[in-house]
């Protein structure tokens, strides 16, 4: 099941059409706090509203499932949304409006990617410039897209890369560490890149060049 979560970070003008299309293709749409304001602007009707609503102070609609939390809690609103999505059977989550603004929120959202991975769900953070995901010990292929950097960072202290091929700077039998950004600003040069992680967890960032 595909789920879209709309958070309360930055929504750039050039991403609005993509967000609308993503919502139309999703089986479930969850708005976390201020994310409902974005959905309302774009005419997206969510299935669930969730959060402490400290950043969205407008009127909440009737007839939509509402989960209201308190500001003093361990989970971020985004984490609550991810947990709810997984509990409802989501195995693929796209998180939008999750970047820009406060860096602590961005960091929390990257950690939420790891939570989803550990709970059997493939999750992606997307905006107009970036697509961010995490990968554990497995082999994945990534299709080449024009004008895009392909960066791989160790999330765990050490991540053993069996193979990174189809890229400008390939790796084989190499250990990436969380203390050195060796994998930044790579490029996919073949039709697809192969990333085979033997152990550990990596963050994969695809960023628009320029």
């Amino acid at each position: 099941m595909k789920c879209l979560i709309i958070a309360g970070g930055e929504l750039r003008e050039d991403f609005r059409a993509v967000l609308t299309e993503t919502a139309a293709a999703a089986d479930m749409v969850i708005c976390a706090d201020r994310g409902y304001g974005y959905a309302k602007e774009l005419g997206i009707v969510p299935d669930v509203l969730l959060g402490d609503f400290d950043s969205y102070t407008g009127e909440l609609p009737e007839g939509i499932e509402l989960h209201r939390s308190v500001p003093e809690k361990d989970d971020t609103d985004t984490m609550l949304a991810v947990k709810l999505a997984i509990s409802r059977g989501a195995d693929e989550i796209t998180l939008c409006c999750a970047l820009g603004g406060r860096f602590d929120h961005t960091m929390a959202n990257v950690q939420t990617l790891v939570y989803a991975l550990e709970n059997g769900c493939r999750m992606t953070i997307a905006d107009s410039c970036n697509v961010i995901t995490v990968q554990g010990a497995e082999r994945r292929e990534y299709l080449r897209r024009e004008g895009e950097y392909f960066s791989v960072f160790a999330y765990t202290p050490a991540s053993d890369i069996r193979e990174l091929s189809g890229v400008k700077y390939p790796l084989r039998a190499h250990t990436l560490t969380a203390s050195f950004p060796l994998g930044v600003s790579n490029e996919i040069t073949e039709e697809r890149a192969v990333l085979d992680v033997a152990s550990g967890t990596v963050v994969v960032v695809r960023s628009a060049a320029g």
Side-chain angles (χ1 to χ4, degrees):
M1 185 182 81
K2 294 182 180 180
C3 177
L4 167 66
I5 297 174
I6 306 175
E10 183 181 61
L11 174 60
R12 290 174 47 159
E13 194 65 35
D14 56 359
F15 193 68
R16 288 173 175 258
V18 176
L19 182 57
T20 303
E21 292 168 8
T22 305
D27 300 300
M28 174 186 289
V29 177
I30 301 175
C31 289
D33 206 318
R34 185 185 172 200
Y36 176 63
Y38 293 141
K40 189 175 179 182
E41 287 177 29
L42 297 173
I44 298 169
V45 179
D47 299 287
V48 181
L49 301 176
L50 179 151
D52 53 29
F53 297 101
D54 60 346
S55 58
Y56 177 78
T57 56
E59 228 175 274
L60 294 173
E62 296 183 1
I64 295 178
E65 183 180 345
L66 175 64
H67 294 254
R68 190 184 288 273
S69 61
V70 296
E72 297 80 13
K73 58 187 184 299
D74 291 335
D75 291 334
T76 64
D77 290 335
T78 302
M79 178 63 90
L80 289 173
V82 168
K83 286 183 173 180
L84 178 64
I86 292 174
S87 75
R88 298 280 174 91
D91 56 10
E92 186 177 329
I93 296 173
T94 301
L95 173 61
C96 296
C97 308
L99 303 173
R102 287 175 52 178
F103 182 74
D104 57 342
H105 284 174
T106 299
M107 191 67 195
N109 290 331
V110 172
Q111 290 187 317
T112 304
L113 288 175
V114 178
Y115 174 87
L117 176 70
E118 291 176 347
N119 285 271
C121 181
R122 185 168 291 192
M123 180 173 160
T124 300
I125 296 174
D127 70 2
S128 57
C129 297
N130 307 282
V131 176
I132 307 169
T133 189
V134 292
Q135 179 180 331
E138 61 177 315
R139 184 183 190 275
R140 281 194 204 171
E141 295 184 351
Y142 297 84
L143 292 175
R144 181 176 183 267
R145 294 198 291 250
E146 285 293 334
E148 189 177 76
Y149 289 114
F150 181 79
S151 301
V152 180
F153 303 98
Y155 181 84
T156 46
S159 299
D160 294 317
I161 307 301
R162 185 178 289 115
E163 176 190 358
L164 173 58
S165 59
V167 296
K168 186 174 182 179
Y169 306 109
L171 293 173
R172 188 171 295 276
H174 184 88
T175 299
L176 291 177
T177 66
S179 60
F180 189 75
L182 178 69
V184 71
S185 298
N186 210 334
E187 298 173 41
I188 300 177
T189 53
E190 305 294 332
E191 182 181 343
R192 64 194 69 215
V194 172
L195 176 56
D196 191 347
V197 179
S199 65
T201 301
V202 297
V203 179
V204 178
V205 183
R206 308 186 69 162
S207 299

